[in-house]
């Protein structure tokens, strides 16, 4: 049985035929940037800690430079991480190395103190309708989430090539590999070889109601 598939152009409302190749493969063209639709929807956000903090020189437990708690009820929106990052504010007088680490809670926990205001990535903020509660540096993780064995490196590390000058940037594309389920918590830190280095840590994410199995 032959089937004709048609699509409707958004805004214009015009119907268009969906074409395929001789062997039946659909012709699909991406007409926008990769994250354009997610950002356009108004459910893409970013947040960065407002307080600088020294990088950790050993695996932490409950200390985090940024924490994100999903305040949604079970079955609500999940927080799907797109990227983690950190900006070096003060650099020490010795050479060193730094990299991002994270811990993702495996159980539902009590509310996290969310004092930071996320920003919408489509510019239609502030992000008052996000389910994320973002805790600044100094907001401790709960003891169930914040365990040393849970902290994991992510993304490339950077080397300090010039002492005493700030400006290093850590960037780790996640692209959905980390999901904060409703009631769960994520912690972010910078691990460094020099405690004189201070950082502000951040994250980008989008929110969507999905089935987690």
């Amino acid at each position: 049985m032959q089937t004709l598939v048609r699509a409707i152009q958004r805004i214009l409302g015009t119907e268009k035929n969906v074409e395929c190749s001789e062997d039946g493969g659909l012709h699909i063209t991406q007409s926008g940037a990769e994250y354009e639709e997610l950002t356009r929807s108004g459910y893409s956000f970013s947040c960065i800690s407002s307080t600088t903090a020294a990088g950790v020189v050993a695996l932490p437990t409950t200390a985090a430079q940024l924490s994100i708690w999903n305040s949604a009820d079970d079955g609500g929106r999940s927080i799907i991480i797109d990227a983690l990052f950190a900006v070096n504010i003060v650099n020490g007088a010795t050479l060193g190395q730094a990299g991002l680490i994270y811990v993702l809670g495996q159980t539902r926990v009590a509310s996290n103190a969310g004092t930071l205001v996320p920003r919408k990535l489509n510019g239609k903020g502030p992000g008052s309708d996000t389910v994320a509660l973002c805790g600044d540096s100094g907001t401790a993780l709960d003891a169930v989430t914040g365990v040393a064995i849970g902290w994991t490196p992510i993304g490339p590390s950077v080397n300090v090539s010039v002492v005493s000058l700030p400006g290093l940037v850590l960037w780790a594309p996640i692209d959905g590999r980390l999901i904060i389920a409703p009631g769960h918590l994520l912690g972010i830190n910078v691990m460094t070889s020099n405690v004189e280095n201070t950082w502000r840590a951040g994250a980008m994410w989008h929110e969507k109601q999905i089935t987690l199995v």
Side-chain angles (χ1 to χ4, degrees), residues 91-92 94-97 158-165 168:
N91 206 1
T94 59
L95 297 176
Q97 191 174 38
V158 295
N159 293 310
V160 177
S161 57
V162 180
V163 299
S164 303
L165 294 178
L168 298 173

Side-chain angles (χ1 to χ4, degrees), residues 162-186:
V162 180
V163 299
S164 303
L165 294 178
L168 298 173
V169 174
L170 293 165
W171 174 262
I174 307 301
D175 297 332
R177 293 179 179 87
L178 294 175
I179 296 175
I180 311 175
H184 290 230
L185 183 64
L186 174 78

Side-chain angles (χ1 to χ4, degrees), residues 22-34:
E22 293 83 352
D23 58 1
L26 286 178
H27 290 166
I28 298 175
T29 301
Q30 184 170 317
S31 60
E34 184 175 0

Side-chain angles (χ1 to χ4, degrees), residues 72-113:
D73 295 330
D74 288 337
R77 296 201 303 266
S78 290
I79 297 172
I80 303 167
I81 302 297
D82 296 315
L84 302 178
F85 60 90
V87 180
N88 174 223
I89 306 301
V90 174
N91 206 1
T94 59
L95 297 176
Q97 191 174 38
L100 287 165
I101 58 175
Y102 76 91
V103 63
L104 179 62
Q106 302 296 295
T107 59
R108 173 177 274 279
V109 298
S111 175
N112 185 52

Side-chain angles (χ1 to χ4, degrees), residues 107-131:
T107 59
R108 173 177 274 279
V109 298
S111 175
N112 185 52
T115 58
L116 301 173
V117 178
R119 301 172 67 87
K120 284 194 172 186
L121 294 180
N122 67 357
K124 297 290 187 177
S128 57
D129 55 349
T130 177
V131 297

